[in-house]
Amino acid sequence: MNRFASDRFDVCVHGRGAVGQALALSLSRLGLRVALAGGESPAATAAPDVRTYALSARSVALLQQLKVWDALRAARPPVATAVLDMQVAGDAGGALEFSAWQQGVRELAWIVDAAALEREMETALRFAPHVSRVDAAVPADLVALCDGRDSPQREALGVEVERVDYGQRAVAARLHCDRPHLGRAWQWFRSPDVLALLPFDIDDSRGYGLVWSLPQQRADELMAADAAGFEAALNAASQGAAGTLRLAGERASWPLRLARASRWHGPGWVLLGDAAHVVHPLAGQGLNLGLADVDTLTAVLAERAAREAWRPLGDERLLARYTRARAAPTWAMGQVTDGLLQLFAREGAPWRELRNRGLGLVDHVPALKRWLAHHALQG
Ligand SMILES: Cc1cc2nc3c(=O)[nH]c(=O)nc-3n(C[C@H](O)[C@H](O)[C@H](O)COP(=O)(O)OP(=O)(O)OC[C@H]3O[C@@H](n4cnc5c(N)ncnc54)[C@H](O)[C@@H]3O)c2cc1C
């Protein structure tokens, strides 16, 4: 990575998660001088991230522009798998199926190894012109906070966060299966837990990424269970629909919340990714939203360079364009994921009937299905 003298940078990006890395790469392509602040990348230091991310078409397009996607696709063993169809099941017979063929696209999404994604971005950053890695904040015209859901920098600015803790944890792991995945993703709304199996090419296409959102106590029990106990619970929950599942490695779990910062920009600063908004992972959209933030901020700053270069990068009017563009899609995703979760958390026959009929109804209204798929694909 290039190092500049200690003079001022155009942008200081805080946070070396996927959103901060993508932003640094993207802004360096505009010719801006970027400082990327934060310790070692999580991919280099922490225990390997066992998550697999579902990435939308828009996220993949951004990674292509950043010259990261081709490396991910070329990696061996594979670290990216196409989703060709998806089965969603309710808790009383309701079902919904999406297929790439029906939607007229090559794939519904890509399932990507979380650690490999950060690693490839780290490699791209090493070759990126205009990016310097720094240990702490440096003077810059714009400070971009991508330091995650508990953003210390956001706290320091006194930005309030509206937050709902779900009292749930998401358990993630890699799984082996006795059958090939055939590109199919599975999701069960089991009331109160949500179980997702994401096709992933380990073990000759006989693998899945697991995201299982459960009430805190049940998640703790499953994390404490031995492998055989965990696998028995998992196979009981999935009822063998995808085949018999076995753990392929460690489990890890994350607390779940819905959160939204009250302000996303101010004079000389802007929030992106989980620092600005956190959604439940049931729709696999948190990172997609963060990468769309990156795309939008880059477009706003590119437009400034073309038409109003006199405006400082930290100009509030400029940054307000970014906030306005991102407010509605991120709010809508928060509402959809929260609404689904609340609907499936309700006890009682009428609610069960309503949600399962709802799934069946969507399955039979092609326009509504197309609309849902389009929003999931575009992130
Ligand atoms: C189980 C699970 C499954 C998920 N699945 C999906 C999915 O399928 N698809 C999807 O789109 N999203 C998914 N998500 C959401 C996704 O993980 C997050 O939205 C995404 O990781 C947010 O990226 P980020 O870079 O904003 O934050 P983070 O990944 O949290 O990165 C923040 C970075 O900032 C660093 N940092 C912290 N403090 C400071 C500081 N003071 N200075 C500098 N750096 C600092 C941290 O070390 C970290 O590296 C999932 C989430 C979970 C929990």
Side-chain angles (χ1 to χ4, degrees):
M1 230 172 273
N2 303 331
R3 284 207 173 270
F4 294 96
S6 59
D7 54 352
R8 201 173 170 84
F9 286 85
D10 293 320
V11 184
C12 180
V13 177
H14 282 268
R16 287 177 62 195
V19 172
Q21 290 175 310
L23 183 66
L25 280 173
S26 189
L27 297 186
S28 95
R29 289 169 61 80
L30 295 184
L32 295 173
R33 300 194 329 161
V34 181
L36 180 53
E40 281 301 299
S41 89
T45 53
D49 192 335
V50 297
R51 282 176 294 184
T52 42
Y53 289 140
L55 292 187
S56 67
R58 181 175 181 183
S59 295
V60 169
L62 176 69
L63 295 175
Q64 270 162 346
Q65 280 169 31
L66 301 181
K67 313 281 182 222
V68 169
W69 185 248
D70 287 349
L72 276 170
R73 292 282 287 120
R76 289 294 170 269
V79 293
T81 304
V83 180
L84 304 179
D85 72 75
M86 178 163 187
Q87 304 276 332
V88 182
D91 57 339
L96 179 56
E97 184 177 348
F98 293 100
S99 83
W101 176 78
Q102 265 177 358
Q103 301 301 326
V105 291
R106 263 189 310 188
E107 60 276 319
L108 290 173
W110 283 90
I111 306 302
V112 173
D113 179 301
L117 173 62
E118 291 193 2
R119 219 171 31 240
E120 289 303 343
M121 291 224 259
E122 219 32 53
T123 304
L125 280 164
R126 243 180 269 138
F127 296 102
H130 320 304
V131 179
S132 285
R133 192 166 67 209
V134 294
D135 294 330
V138 291
D141 296 344
L142 175 62
V143 174
L145 302 183
C146 309
D147 48 351
R149 46 161 52 194
D150 295 316
S151 169
Q153 305 283 335
R154 181 190 63 203
E155 297 279 302
L157 284 167
V159 176
E160 283 177 20
V161 178
E162 201 181 318
R163 165 179 166 163
V164 178
D165 285 303
Y166 284 125
Q168 291 193 342
R169 293 186 78 86
V171 176
R174 303 289 162 83
L175 305 171
H176 290 299
C177 185
D178 65 347
R179 297 211 299 253
H181 57 61
L182 304 177
R184 173 168 292 174
W186 301 82
Q187 187 162 38
W188 291 268
F189 286 89
R190 289 166 29 86
S191 179
D193 59 304
V194 183
L195 168 61
L197 297 178
L198 307 171
F200 193 64
D201 284 338
I202 43 176
D203 204 14
D204 204 13
S205 299
R206 290 164 193 267
Y208 286 97
L210 168 73
V211 185
W212 196 358
S213 308
L214 302 123
Q216 172 91 38
Q217 193 185 341
R218 183 66 183 136
D220 291 346
E221 284 164 13
L222 287 174
M223 287 299 291
D226 62 11
F230 183 84
E231 288 165 359
L234 178 60
N235 283 304
S238 62
Q239 296 184 323
T244 303
L245 303 163
R246 277 184 301 115
L247 280 169
E250 296 299 314
R251 290 155 267 177
S253 78
W254 286 259
L256 299 182
R257 70 173 73 140
L258 175 68
R260 192 170 179 83
S262 58
R263 286 187 298 141
W264 288 19
H265 73 271
W269 62 267
V270 64
L271 300 181
L272 296 95
D274 277 16
H277 43 73
V278 180
V279 296
H280 193 287
L282 68 84
Q285 290 295 336
L287 180 57
N288 289 310
L289 292 175
L291 293 177
D293 294 349
V294 168
D295 209 14
T296 304
L297 183 61
T298 305
V300 166
L301 298 187
E303 176 87 4
R304 163 203 168 267
R307 291 169 194 259
E308 30 183 15
W310 51 269
R311 214 183 259 288
L313 284 165
D315 182 310
E316 280 198 80
R317 285 200 188 178
L318 185 66
L319 300 175
R321 293 176 199 160
Y322 155 78
T323 299
R324 270 199 302 275
R326 295 304 297 144
T330 51
W331 183 84
M333 189 56 72
Q335 295 302 303
V336 167
T337 50
D338 188 56
L340 270 172
L341 200 69
Q342 302 306 335
L343 185 61
F344 277 90
R346 288 182 189 262
E347 305 278 355
W351 288 108
R352 205 162 32 246
E353 171 87 4
L354 175 71
R355 61 204 178 215
N356 285 281
R357 267 179 190 258
L359 282 181
L361 184 68
V362 174
D363 204 33
H364 288 98
V365 181
L368 187 51
K369 230 166 125 169
R370 264 198 308 278
W371 183 87
L372 277 174
H374 172 79
H375 283 268
L377 286 165
Q378 292 312 310

